[in-house]
Amino acid sequence: MGKITGGCRCGAVRYEAEGTAAHHALCHCRDCQMASGAPVLAWLAMPAEGFSVTQGEPVRYTAPSGSMRAFCGTCGTPLFFVNEAVLPGIVDIQSVTLDEPDAIPPQAQIQLAERRSYMAALDTLPGFDRFPGEG
Ligand SMILES: [Zn+2]
Ligand SMILES: [Zn+2]
């Protein structure tokens, strides 16, 4: 894989990563839910030595668990995660913030033990390309 790039919604923070992804997983854990306000997060594990922030400086919050989560202090987009004890040598990138979020499809769902109950039956909900009544 070549260089991949991404950043936050407002454009203040940009990053790039190089190397081979270790894994790409959808995480349902409570920690991810609370850090993002979303029911599930997509994480692309990239080698730390190939990762760099190329513009701006994200806010970094380290939880008591030792997990550091970086996010844009202006627009709030969660960007990446580091926990040397759990994932040594890895920067876990929130892959939806990549410029090409679909380029590397996720291979697994993890932390299903903490998945919100409604997420298991997501396919049974009616779906709309935009909103109900808009065709
Ligand atoms: Zn931003
Ligand atoms: Zn998680």
Side-chain angles (χ1 to χ4, degrees), residues 26-114:
L26 297 169
C27 186
H28 293 272
C29 86
R30 187 63 177 149
D31 207 31
C32 282
Q33 291 168 15
M34 293 306 289
S36 65
V40 62
L41 293 186
W43 293 107
L44 180 68
M46 294 296 291
E49 67 264 23
F51 179 87
S52 58
V53 173
T54 54
Q55 180 180 301
E57 194 51 52
V59 177
R60 295 165 194 258
Y61 170 73
T62 301
S65 64
S67 297
M68 187 286 295
R69 290 172 188 264
F71 57 95
C72 176
T74 300
C75 71
T77 302
L79 294 167
F80 56 93
F81 168 107
V82 174
N83 187 325
E84 276 299 321
V86 178
L87 291 169
I90 292 288
V91 173
D92 235 355
I93 296 170
Q94 292 206 214
S95 64
V96 292
T97 68
L98 290 169
D99 295 329
E100 295 180 48
D102 292 346
I104 308 165
Q107 307 125 323
Q109 299 186 68
I110 59 173
Q111 300 275 29
L112 290 177
E114 296 182 0

